[in-house]
Amino acid sequence: MTTYLGGTDHTDPDAYFAKYGYSMSQFYELTKHYYDQIADQNDNKGSMDHLTANEKELHTDGWHATSQSANYPYSFLIVINQKTGKEYKRYAINRNQRNDVANAYPNITNAAKSGFSLSIPVTDLMRGNTYKIISRYAQTASGEGSYKDYSFSNTVAVPAVTKQNKASMDSLTANKSTLQLSGWHASDDTEGRNYHYLLLMDATTNKEIRRVRVNNVNRKDVQNAYPNIYNSLNSGFNLSTNIDAKLKGKKVYVISRYSATSNADSNYVDYKFGNTVTIPTDQLAVNKNVGSMDQLALKGNQLVINGWHAASKSEGKGYSYLILMNKDTEKEITRYRINRNTRNDVQKAYPDIYGAAQSGFNLTTNVTAKMKGAHMYVISRYAKNASGEGEYIDHSFTNTVAVK
């Protein structure tokens, strides 16, 4: 002041600062340090709008604006382990438009282009940990060197690993000679347990009747539904096994078992299915012929027919038909060849009828000119010939429907 401006004889307080271990140059640097911090607070702003995590994904979105971004063309979001303070991973991002931020901070150069949104898959390394996010503008493509950060205070916990044991029985049927079943069993506890058995259990005594080792098959649908279960992709099973005297007449359920031992008697994980099937005896009914129409209705321009038909004499008659009859004239209107579907409820009610488990039918067909004006009923037929004629067994349903 004295030297350059004049008007005062004041001198710098060198001696005063020296008493406290400071020089004037140190005082200048300290003043500049705190001034820069104040300027930085005014020029480096950010807000986390969302930070969430579930078993599959971590998501974050928000904004980070700083005028210094003009010198830092590369943008990153850095995921930090809250407990260790260490970086988990960094992700190069493209900033998105945030007009709301530009309105709030018109003096920050990049405020309008300060937004971010990122979703990342949760990995096993992330599970059970808590994370926070740093937004970074950097001079280099690696994100190192010179950069400008904003550390958000928000944190999110990624759910810990929970072991799962899931399964489903897709089909469980039996006839006089064969028990057939298919389904899947996926468990995190199958690791190291490479022997897979299906145990056939007596539902009355809860005692094992037989166990059969199976080779697993791929089930992409299970992996899609349960991607985090250890063996979900290779969790499927199919089994067709002969009926012997020990199985005949028994009500059976199934246990799926993965074991570390070849005999599956120790070190195993089980899943008990709720499905049951009654194994037919040799004394099947000789002359039973029963059925039920669950639905016979018009829906718009379509005729819907659902129900079942089980007949002792259907054995050897591999062709199935639904025949639409005119109730007034007792003449056939048309017939449809069908594939029977599984009806475990019918098998449970009529275990002594051959083919009861595959007695269902389900048909939806367009209303034709022949049907219009007719008062119709349905006949279900098992036939020996593909034409549906010759040797056959019929069941005539009393339900009717009128087509206008």
Side-chain angles (χ1 to χ4, degrees):
M1 292 284 290
T2 302
T3 303
Y4 296 104
L5 300 178
T8 178
D9 59 359
H10 178 75
T11 60
D12 292 334
D14 295 296
Y16 176 79
F17 284 132
K19 289 193 300 182
Y20 298 97
Y22 277 100
S23 67
M24 277 301 295
S25 60
Q26 288 174 314
F27 173 72
Y28 171 79
E29 291 298 327
L30 187 63
T31 302
K32 183 177 183 300
H33 170 75
Y34 285 108
Y35 178 82
D36 287 345
Q37 280 194 345
I38 294 171
D40 185 61
Q41 289 173 0
N42 293 328
D43 188 54
N44 192 35
K45 299 288 187 179
S47 177
M48 182 73 71
D49 297 334
H50 301 98
L51 181 59
T52 60
N54 55 36
E55 290 183 351
K56 296 181 179 181
E57 185 179 79
L58 182 149
H59 174 79
T60 179
D61 58 74
W63 59 271
H64 170 205
T66 174
S67 294
Q68 297 181 49
S69 65
N71 301 317
Y72 301 109
Y74 300 98
S75 284
F76 295 87
L77 290 181
I78 304 172
V79 181
I80 301 293
N81 186 306
Q82 171 73 5
K83 183 177 181 180
T84 65
K86 293 182 178 180
E87 177 180 334
Y88 164 69
K89 200 169 183 178
R90 68 182 63 182
Y91 299 87
I93 61 168
N94 294 315
R95 301 280 172 175
N96 52 43
Q97 195 73 19
R98 288 297 296 258
N99 292 331
D100 58 328
V101 180
N103 292 335
Y105 299 97
N107 296 323
I108 299 181
T109 303
N110 80 319
K113 202 70 175 176
S114 60
F116 59 81
S117 180
L118 178 68
S119 294
I120 62 173
V122 168
T123 66
D124 289 339
L125 291 175
M126 298 175 71
R127 302 185 194 283
N129 294 311
T130 299
Y131 293 92
K132 65 178 184 178
I133 304 295
I134 291 175
S135 171
R136 173 172 292 180
Y137 293 93
Q139 279 189 338
T140 65
S142 67
E144 293 303 316
S146 182
Y147 53 78
K148 193 66 178 179
D149 283 355
Y150 190 94
S151 181
F152 296 95
S153 60
N154 314 62
T155 62
V156 65
V158 176
V161 177
T162 54
K163 288 189 175 183
Q164 298 184 79
N165 187 32
K166 302 284 187 179
S168 177
M169 184 69 73
D170 298 332
S171 177
L172 177 61
T173 61
N175 55 36
K176 287 191 298 183
S177 60
T178 308
L179 172 67
Q180 294 182 316
L181 59 151
S182 63
W184 57 271
H185 177 197
S187 173
D188 288 314
D189 287 322
T190 59
E191 187 172 7
R193 297 182 170 98
N194 299 320
Y195 299 96
H196 188 191
Y197 282 85
L198 296 177
L199 282 61
L200 308 182
M201 306 293 295
D202 187 323
T204 303
T205 64
N206 286 318
K207 291 184 178 180
E208 181 181 338
I209 302 171
R210 183 195 301 174
R211 69 180 62 182
V212 183
R213 185 176 174 184
V214 293
N215 294 316
N216 282 22
V217 296
N218 279 9
R219 287 294 296 259
K220 187 67 178 176
D221 57 327
V222 179
Q223 185 187 46
N224 291 339
Y226 300 100
N228 298 320
I229 299 183
Y230 173 74
N231 72 322
S232 58
L233 176 60
N234 194 40
S235 61
F237 58 79
N238 296 298
L239 175 65
S240 180
T241 186
N242 292 333
I243 302 295
D244 61 14
K246 292 182 179 179
L247 282 168
K248 287 180 180 179
K250 298 287 176 53
K251 185 178 181 181
V252 173
Y253 67 90
V254 179
I255 291 174
S256 172
R257 173 173 294 178
Y258 290 96
S259 176
T261 61
S262 59
N263 62 7
D265 278 334
S266 62
N267 193 3
Y268 55 78
V269 57
D270 282 355
Y271 189 96
K272 178 183 175 182
F273 294 97
N275 315 62
T276 61
V277 63
T278 300
I279 311 296
T281 64
D282 288 331
Q283 286 73 44
L284 287 176
V286 175
N287 198 25
K288 277 191 177 181
N289 186 16
V290 291
S292 177
M293 183 66 71
D294 299 331
Q295 185 179 28
L296 177 60
L298 286 171
K299 291 189 175 180
N301 195 42
Q302 291 188 313
L303 178 65
V304 180
I305 310 172
N306 299 319
W308 58 270
H309 170 207
S312 304
K313 292 184 179 181
S314 65
E315 186 173 8
K317 298 177 178 67
Y319 300 96
S320 285
Y321 285 86
L322 292 180
I323 304 172
L324 301 186
M325 300 292 295
N326 188 314
K327 185 173 177 60
D328 298 322
T329 65
E330 290 298 329
K331 290 184 178 181
E332 178 179 334
I333 299 173
T334 189
R335 67 179 62 185
Y336 298 92
R337 185 170 167 182
I338 61 169
N339 293 315
R340 300 281 173 175
N341 53 42
T342 302
R343 289 294 297 256
N344 290 327
D345 56 330
V346 180
Q347 185 188 48
K348 185 178 290 187
Y350 298 98
D352 59 338
I353 299 181
Y354 174 83
Q358 290 296 125
S359 62
F361 55 79
N362 190 329
L363 175 68
T364 299
T365 185
N366 290 330
V367 171
T368 67
K370 289 182 179 180
M371 299 179 195
K372 289 183 178 179
H375 191 204
M376 298 187 299
Y377 67 95
V378 178
I379 292 175
S380 170
R381 173 173 293 179
Y382 291 94
K384 195 168 186 178
N385 299 320
S387 66
E389 296 303 319
E391 187 179 342
Y392 56 80
I393 182 77
D394 283 354
H395 183 88
S396 180
F397 295 94
T398 59
N399 314 64
T400 62
V401 63
V403 179
K404 294 181 180 180

